[in-house]
Amino acid sequence: MAALDGLPPLRDVIQRYGLDARKALGQNFLLDLNLTQKVARQAGPLEGVTVFEVGPGPGGLTRAILALGAKKVIAVERDSRCLPALAEIADHYPSRLEVIEGDALKTDFATLAAGEPVRIIANLPYNVGTQLLVNWLLPPQWPPFWQSLTLMFQKEVGQRIVAREDDDHYGRLGVLCGWRTEAHMTFDISPQAFTPPPKVTSTVVHLTPKANPIPCPVAKLEKVTEAAFGQRRKMLRQSLKSIGGEALLVKADIDPTRRAETLSIEEFCRLANFL
């Protein structure tokens, strides 16, 4: 891809700017530009599309998104050391890359979108990835400001995102993702593709919003799933004791002796609606 965009290889960029990946920032840089293109392609055709990216680092995924024709990339980067490398990419793609230095957890992405449909593509920092996903899943308004999410996680997190009832990985995250989105894992990436190599395999997950998820109060669904999966080995009459226990389960027509991992998303929504 260096030949495609005329920019230097990422290893040279990292060396020139001294960009050692920092564990405290959850950084693992993906240097294989063929792989970054493969990640970006999971979001579908990008011509004329505005893309949000979080944690671009030295810009490997950023370059892939721009090379595939995105109208604009708005990238949020907390690590000021990466800004000169990203500035080189911005110079190469005039007016198509905007870099915001800041904390993605404190960034108002809906306001940044300014009513324009956007897609989010990111190799998320490991330490904030799940929280960012939950933030994007639970905005005040639905459908959300984003058309799709194409995100890289540790494989175990990806399995939790797509899990459904009776799956060992099923939990609060699977309920929230399954309630509001269609989610699937697209492909895995081995540790060796990253610098430094993480101890686990990564995976790319693609999520699209459901137009009409089951009507349900967000705060109550969070409360029910938190209680149910907080004591997942116990029967629901026990794990839900603090929020209504057996009486709530009887109202929702759910057997009080069942356990959290056996409930469907529809049943969790029913519990939230009766809470």
Side-chain angles (χ1 to χ4, degrees):
M1 200 187 102
L4 279 181
D5 66 11
L7 287 162
L10 279 174
R11 286 190 189 280
D12 294 356
V13 173
I14 286 169
Q15 189 173 7
R16 182 153 29 104
Y17 292 109
L19 298 179
D20 55 305
R22 294 194 173 165
K23 191 173 181 181
L25 296 173
Q27 290 174 329
N28 293 92
F29 298 147
L30 187 60
L31 302 189
D32 185 331
L33 291 168
N34 292 316
L35 266 177
T36 60
Q37 280 202 314
K38 188 176 179 182
V39 173
R41 283 196 199 99
Q42 306 311 306
L46 295 178
E47 290 84 359
V49 171
T50 296
V51 174
F52 287 172
E53 185 186 4
V54 171
L61 184 55
T62 317
R63 285 167 61 172
I65 295 166
L66 289 164
L68 288 170
K71 178 173 75 173
K72 186 170 187 179
V73 174
I74 299 175
V76 179
E77 178 55 67
R78 186 179 168 190
D79 186 356
S80 60
R81 299 175 307 142
C82 297
L83 300 183
L86 295 169
E88 278 191 16
I89 302 170
D91 289 343
H92 192 77
Y93 291 99
S95 305
R96 290 177 60 198
L97 173 60
E98 178 184 346
V99 180
I100 297 170
E101 184 182 1
D103 185 342
L105 287 174
K106 297 175 182 174
T107 300
D108 185 343
F109 288 96
T111 298
L112 273 181
E116 183 180 353
V118 300
R119 297 181 205 170
I120 300 177
I121 307 174
N123 171 15
L124 292 175
Y126 279 173
N127 53 357
V128 296
T130 304
Q131 187 55 56
L132 280 168
L133 172 59
V134 171
N135 291 353
W136 292 327
L137 285 173
L138 305 179
Q141 302 298 322
W142 197 268
F145 66 90
W146 46 269
Q147 289 182 324
S148 68
L149 306 173
T150 305
L151 307 172
M152 203 183 310
F153 293 100
Q154 297 175 53
K155 187 170 183 177
E156 182 265 338
V157 176
Q159 290 168 323
R160 284 166 47 207
I161 288 168
V162 303
R164 295 298 175 263
E165 65 266 31
D166 295 318
D167 182 320
D168 288 344
H169 294 96
Y170 187 52
R172 173 175 171 259
L173 193 58
V175 173
L176 296 178
C177 291
W179 171 46
R180 278 193 156 174
T181 74
E182 300 290 348
H184 66 277
M185 293 162 62
T186 62
F187 69 98
D188 294 344
I189 302 176
S190 77
Q192 286 65 43
F194 295 88
T195 298
K199 292 177 181 175
V200 294
T201 297
S202 298
T203 196
V204 177
V205 184
H206 184 70
L207 305 97
T208 52
K210 290 180 178 176
N212 298 295
I214 299 166
C216 174
V218 171
K220 290 185 179 181
L221 184 61
E222 285 194 283
K223 202 169 185 177
V224 168
T225 53
E226 185 180 356
F229 288 107
Q231 301 181 71
R232 63 186 300 144
R233 294 185 185 279
K234 294 188 176 178
M235 293 179 186
L236 287 165
R237 67 184 176 200
Q238 184 62 34
S239 61
L240 298 184
K241 208 169 184 178
S242 64
I243 58 170
E246 194 150 348
L248 173 64
L249 289 155
V250 169
K251 268 194 221 174
D253 193 26
I254 293 170
D255 181 350
T257 65
R258 289 172 65 187
R259 289 178 170 79
E261 67 268 16
T262 71
L263 262 61
S264 67
I265 291 162
E266 186 274 330
E267 287 173 313
F268 273 113
C269 289
R270 205 188 315 156
L271 281 170
N273 283 321
F274 276 107
L275 186 60

